Amino acid sequence: MAMKEFKEKVLLKSESAWSQIDAAEKEAVFSFSENYKKFLDEGKTERECAIYMEEEAKTKGFKNILDVIAEGKPIKAGDKIYGNNRDKSIIFFVIGKEDIERGMHIVGGHIDAPRIDLKQRPLYEDADMALLKTHYYGGIKKYQWVASPLALHGRLIKENGEIVDICIGEDENDPVFMITDLLPHLGKDQAAKKLGEGITGEGLNLLIGSMPLDDEDEKEKVKLNIMSMLYEKYGIVEADFETAEIEIVPAGKARDLGFDRSMISAYGHDDRVCSYAGFEALLEIDVPEKTAVGMFMDKEEVGSQGNTGSESAYFEHCVAELINLQTEKYSELLVRRALSNTQVLSADVSAAFDPNFADVYDRKNSGFIGKGLQIMKYTGSRGKGGSSDANAEYLAVVRKIFNDNHVVWQTGELGKVDQGGGGTIAYILANAGAEVVDCGVPVLSMHAPYEVISKIDLYMAYKGYKAFLNR
Ligand code: MN
Ligand code: MN
């Protein structure tokens, strides 16, 4: 064997994914990205994403699990079923030829994203301005959210039960809102603070108005003016905020990034990029051998708790219901078998190597923008604390699937050892006995109002997830 061939054989290469695809696939990368941008623009909250996915899936023949249960007929291979958990997390099933008891293939991501929520009594007036008090959600760097246009999305429910969904700040003709920052001229004390303390949690107050309503008896005339406008437009009163869920997110649309348009700048890539790739992959599964599942969950950014997070029993309930419709002798044991025979790609983003902050990464074991779908054998922090650490046998299975299907992929971990760390939903299904590995798209500026991903990594995620589910 010539040395050149020998080197090809024994040495690991790390090439750009762009140089490993042909012109036709490059076109597919760009057209897939166009649809992804539309999804991001329509889905800026977990609720909006779940509703988008439900509507889309219904057009592809998916039926609500509640209707399937009510019908009570046995399910069969190729049936497409979804469970919508309170419009906040949503799980799709394409029933396989084998019984569910034999295991499933799952791609699981999350559709919540770091943001700023309104407090329950948000509205107040100060210095002739109306503001909303907030409580941030997830791991944000607070200084990134000031002096930048923001939009309000969410749901209020009036005392009479009427639902008011709002979305203000996204249309070109809408007003936007903003959290103000201090001018540098007076920023001497602020600039001397630690970066994480320059803007405080209680300082994240959203500016929403400055015009008074003429009323001699009222002290807070600007606040009154805002309430009168809200009452006129939506019929809502101040007390309706106390039971509402309203989220503040960056205003504006997803945009191509770079002269070559190879990347996308947008709010919420974490983790809508993996969720969208998994969702689109699942929609294309016809009749798999094993039941294919796409689960797109809420509350990951705050620890996966709550009845819409991955820790909730909702997924297991759905599996139990489906097994009950598949066999005449349902038992709890079948559900346990199903979960422990299952293979999962925990589809969440990873930190892409950033040359501006090279010293926090191990360059040899990092994910890179444009090098494809990234497998993370383990996450966690310190000595792999909190990690589910995938088994070598399972990684070998995933490697073969990706290679057989020409998926460009890379491995990497989240930064240098002892630099910090993170984790996602992998451990939850791993605890139920499933094989799980983290596998997602590398992101720059993760958790910032505008994050960056590569279009080819998105496409390779879709291709990889589809190959994984379609068997
Ligand atoms: Mn994530
Ligand atoms: Mn995150």
Side-chain angles (χ1 to χ4, degrees):
M1 196 186 290
M3 186 50 87
K4 190 172 173 238
E5 285 163 37
F6 181 71
K7 288 202 299 194
E8 285 265 304
K9 185 178 165 67
V10 300
L11 296 180
L12 181 63
K13 275 181 310 212
S14 170
E15 276 174 12
S16 169
W18 293 105
S19 43
Q20 299 181 58
I21 60 169
D22 60 17
E25 191 156 38
K26 199 166 166 183
E27 208 168 290
V29 168
F30 281 95
S31 85
F32 191 82
S33 299
E34 289 308 304
N35 292 325
Y36 171 54
K37 285 187 286 179
K38 278 183 211 142
F39 168 72
L40 286 178
D41 294 343
E42 287 191 34
K44 285 202 154 182
T45 65
E46 60 284 359
R47 211 185 273 280
E48 290 168 356
C49 288
I51 291 169
Y52 176 101
M53 287 176 167
E54 178 175 27
E55 292 304 315
E56 187 74 19
K58 281 201 288 198
T59 68
K60 302 272 159 70
F62 278 80
K63 287 188 185 156
N64 192 317
I65 194 167
L66 298 176
D67 298 331
V68 176
I69 294 165
E71 220 172 276
K73 287 189 199 144
I75 53 170
K76 55 181 194 311
D79 281 359
K80 294 166 189 267
I81 298 163
Y82 71 90
N84 177 341
N85 187 4
R86 300 167 167 88
D87 282 349
K88 287 186 176 178
S89 60
I90 188 157
I91 304 173
F92 300 91
F93 297 84
V94 180
I95 305 303
K97 291 177 196 158
E98 292 182 27
D99 285 349
I100 295 172
E101 161 193 1
R102 303 278 303 274
M104 298 164 278
H105 294 143
I106 302 179
V107 170
H110 66 93
I111 49 178
D112 64 320
R115 61 175 191 255
I116 301 174
D117 289 339
L118 290 195
K119 286 192 182 185
Q120 297 323 117
R121 289 182 175 192
L123 183 59
Y124 71 104
E125 174 171 338
D126 197 351
D128 290 336
M129 290 180 282
L131 299 114
L132 294 172
K133 292 205 69 67
T134 68
H135 198 136
Y136 67 97
Y137 172 98
I140 65 167
K141 290 162 99 175
K142 299 177 195 87
Y143 71 85
Q144 294 177 332
W145 292 71
V146 296
S148 177
L150 299 166
L152 286 171
H153 293 238
R155 174 165 288 183
L156 299 107
I157 301 171
K158 297 186 199 175
E159 202 168 11
N160 66 7
E162 190 189 326
I163 290 173
V164 180
D165 282 328
I166 60 158
C167 173
I168 310 162
E170 301 296 353
D171 189 273
E172 266 174 38
N173 300 311
D174 280 357
V176 293
F177 310 96
M178 199 171 282
I179 299 165
T180 53
D181 195 4
L182 186 58
L183 63 168
H185 316 64
L186 299 178
K188 188 165 84 62
D189 292 348
Q190 186 194 38
K193 288 181 183 168
K194 286 183 187 161
L195 190 61
E197 294 163 3
I199 301 289
T200 62
E202 286 295 345
L204 294 173
N205 300 310
L206 190 72
L207 179 58
I208 59 162
S210 65
M211 231 158 57
L213 185 77
D214 279 332
D215 179 279
E216 280 183 18
D217 305 329
E218 179 54 46
K219 264 196 276 172
E220 300 186 311
K221 295 187 174 65
V222 180
K223 174 179 167 179
L224 180 64
N225 190 40
I226 295 290
M227 271 325 303
S228 112
M229 294 177 85
L230 290 176
Y231 185 73
E232 196 177 312
K233 176 141 194 210
Y234 303 103
I236 51 180
V237 297
E238 199 176 357
D240 294 332
F241 281 100
E242 286 199 295
T243 54
E245 284 182 325
I246 302 183
E247 305 179 10
I248 300 166
V249 298
K253 293 184 175 355
R255 306 279 297 267
D256 284 348
L257 182 81
F259 287 114
D260 56 10
R261 296 180 177 270
S262 61
M263 298 167 280
I264 299 170
S265 152
Y267 166 65
H269 285 312
D270 176 9
D271 182 37
R272 293 170 189 147
V273 64
C274 298
S275 292
Y276 181 76
F279 176 62
E280 288 297 316
L282 188 100
L283 290 184
E284 289 174 20
I285 306 301
D286 196 18
V287 189
E289 294 298 319
K290 288 217 163 95
T291 294
V293 182
M295 48 195 296
F296 308 110
M297 310 303 283
D298 183 26
K299 296 285 181 283
E300 193 276 343
E301 296 295 356
V302 290
S304 296
Q305 313 285 330
N307 63 7
T308 55
S310 298
E311 296 263 24
S312 92
Y314 183 78
F315 170 64
E316 238 177 278
H317 280 320
C318 288
V319 173
E321 292 282 9
L322 292 176
I323 289 177
N324 188 41
L325 290 170
Q326 196 172 51
T327 171
E328 303 214 315
K329 33 186 197 321
Y330 172 85
S331 86
E332 178 69 28
L333 183 62
L334 298 182
V335 180
R336 286 177 181 232
R337 280 185 192 150
L339 294 173
S340 63
N341 288 327
T342 284
Q343 295 179 341
V344 186
L345 293 182
S346 167
D348 205 351
V349 297
S350 69
F353 180 84
D354 186 339
N356 284 336
F357 302 97
D359 56 338
V360 303
Y361 299 89
D362 167 14
R363 194 185 279 262
K364 293 185 174 61
N365 283 283
S366 183
F368 287 82
I369 284 279
K371 288 192 173 175
L373 177 57
Q374 184 183 339
I375 291 178
M376 285 154 284
K377 183 177 182 297
Y378 47 83
T379 56
S381 49
R382 300 174 307 280
K384 298 191 178 182
S387 168
S388 74
D389 214 340
N391 299 307
E393 293 82 354
Y394 179 50
L395 283 175
V397 170
V398 175
R399 171 192 187 179
K400 182 150 179 15
I401 295 167
F402 288 175
N403 286 349
D404 288 351
N405 290 279
H406 310 287
V407 177
V408 181
W409 60 281
Q410 53 183 327
T411 54
E413 60 179 89
L414 189 74
K416 267 185 182 169
V417 178
D418 285 342
Q419 185 66 47
T424 179
I425 64 173
Y427 72 95
I428 298 164
L429 286 159
N431 286 350
E435 293 286 4
V436 187
V437 66
D438 278 299
C439 176
V441 172
V443 175
L444 290 167
S445 301
M446 195 195 294
H447 285 201
Y450 299 95
E451 304 172 314
V452 177
I453 58 120
S454 160
K455 290 181 179 177
I456 199 160
D457 299 336
L458 160 66
Y459 186 77
M460 288 301 162
Y462 153 74
K463 207 173 155 183
Y465 297 159
K466 189 173 162 187
F468 178 83
L469 294 172
N470 198 19
R471 60 198 175 102

